[in-house]
Amino acid sequence: MLGLLGKKLGQTRVYDEKGIVRPVTIVLAGPNRVLQCKTQESDGYNAVQLGFDDQKDQRVTKPLLGHIKKHNGAAVKRIKEFRNFSKEVKPGDVVGPALFAPGDFVDAIGVTKGRGFEGVVGRHAFRGGDSTHGAKGWHRRSGAIGQRLFPGTVMRGMKMPGHMGQVQRTTQNLEVIQVREADNLLLIKGAIPGAEGDYVVIRESKKRPKGWKPPVSIASGKKAKAAEKAAEPKKAEAKK
């Protein structure tokens, strides 16, 4: 499972190779430094710890700084662990947006914008009350919630005004449009949770869309390996 830590920079539009305009979100996806490589033998599972966004040593807690220095790393603002990392890496390596290729599908994990206290009309898309015909004071309220005589109580889970936003959300199956390795940028089609400047996690898609096919580079590589395996018996016979 490939993954990266990044920072959402904003939205824009780009043209693809066919001249079609694609709305994209720009993500600063590197450099990510490998802080630790966990193995089945030493830790009970396989995982890779990545660090993103350099930080001063004095702004990191002593236990965390000790853990980072133990593996000869540098202080960072964000650390994320990815299990079963499918790329061979070692502590000290630097990985970036080159882990992905145009045409790949990824999942974006972020924290949504906090919108504070919100009523039922904005929070749950309630219709609200009438604006005319004598309605006074019920334009943006939920209405009666007690079910009259029976059961006469507010049911658990009732949609009501309250805190909205500031929760973790995952957007699945977003297509990678461009990979700009020199600038450590990923241009991903569609919207990603969070405000500009928020940290996000970009990982390999867990639920690829129907009809998905691997990029041409991956497909051609697999075909070449299959051809080499098929040619090996023939080479052995020719040597005999």
Side-chain angles (χ1 to χ4, degrees):
M1 176 63 69
L2 294 175
L4 288 171
L5 278 163
K7 184 181 289 186
K8 179 178 175 180
L9 298 183
Q11 297 81 34
T12 186
R13 296 178 295 174
V14 295
Y15 290 92
D16 62 9
E17 63 278 1
K18 297 180 181 178
I20 300 174
V21 177
R22 298 294 188 94
V24 296
T25 300
I26 305 172
V27 177
L28 179 65
N32 278 214
R33 290 183 174 83
V34 180
L35 301 180
Q36 182 184 7
C37 295
K38 295 186 176 182
T39 61
Q40 186 71 36
E41 293 75 18
S42 61
D43 302 282
Y45 65 99
N46 298 315
V48 170
Q49 278 188 2
L50 298 181
F52 174 69
D53 207 356
D54 293 340
Q55 177 68 285
K56 293 180 180 179
D57 288 354
Q58 62 264 32
R59 292 184 178 175
V60 179
T61 61
K62 291 292 182 66
L64 180 58
L65 185 61
H67 169 72
I68 293 173
K69 295 297 183 182
K70 179 181 177 181
H71 300 280
N72 299 320
V76 290
K77 292 182 180 179
R78 288 290 185 275
I79 295 177
K80 175 69 177 176
E81 188 174 283
F82 296 90
R83 290 203 175 197
N84 301 318
F85 205 73
S86 54
K87 181 179 174 63
E88 289 292 333
V89 293
K90 61 183 183 297
D93 287 354
V94 176
V95 294
L99 289 181
F100 302 103
D104 287 349
F105 284 86
V106 297
D107 296 339
I109 305 171
V111 177
T112 60
K113 294 180 181 180
R115 305 191 183 278
F117 184 90
E118 186 64 55
V120 290
V121 174
R123 189 183 184 200
H124 301 296
F126 276 24
R127 171 183 174 273
D130 292 338
S131 298
T132 57
H133 298 284
K136 295 181 179 179
W138 290 91
H139 310 301
R140 297 179 62 83
R141 296 176 65 178
S142 59
I145 59 174
Q147 299 91 44
R148 298 183 69 181
L149 183 62
F150 180 83
T153 58
V154 178
M155 303 297 290
R156 182 171 295 185
M158 179 73 66
K159 293 181 178 179
M160 302 178 75
H163 183 270
M164 182 178 176
Q166 202 68 22
V167 291
Q168 181 174 299
R169 288 290 180 264
T170 301
T171 305
Q172 297 180 330
N173 295 334
L174 300 176
E175 184 181 358
V176 177
I177 302 300
Q178 291 183 17
V179 177
R180 300 184 180 180
E181 187 175 359
D183 300 320
N184 289 318
L185 296 179
L186 280 175
L187 274 61
I188 302 173
K189 180 183 177 182
I192 289 177
E196 294 181 7
D198 283 356
Y199 292 99
V200 295
V201 176
I202 306 298
R203 73 181 183 198
E204 198 174 358
S205 179
K206 288 189 175 182
K207 301 177 183 177
R208 288 170 179 155
K210 187 176 180 180
W212 177 84
K213 295 181 180 179
V216 178
S217 59
I218 298 176
S220 60
K222 288 183 178 179
K223 288 181 180 178
K225 289 182 180 178
E228 288 178 4
K229 288 183 179 180
E232 285 178 359
K234 295 180 181 180
K235 290 180 180 178
E237 290 178 3
K239 288 181 180 179
K240 291 179 180 180

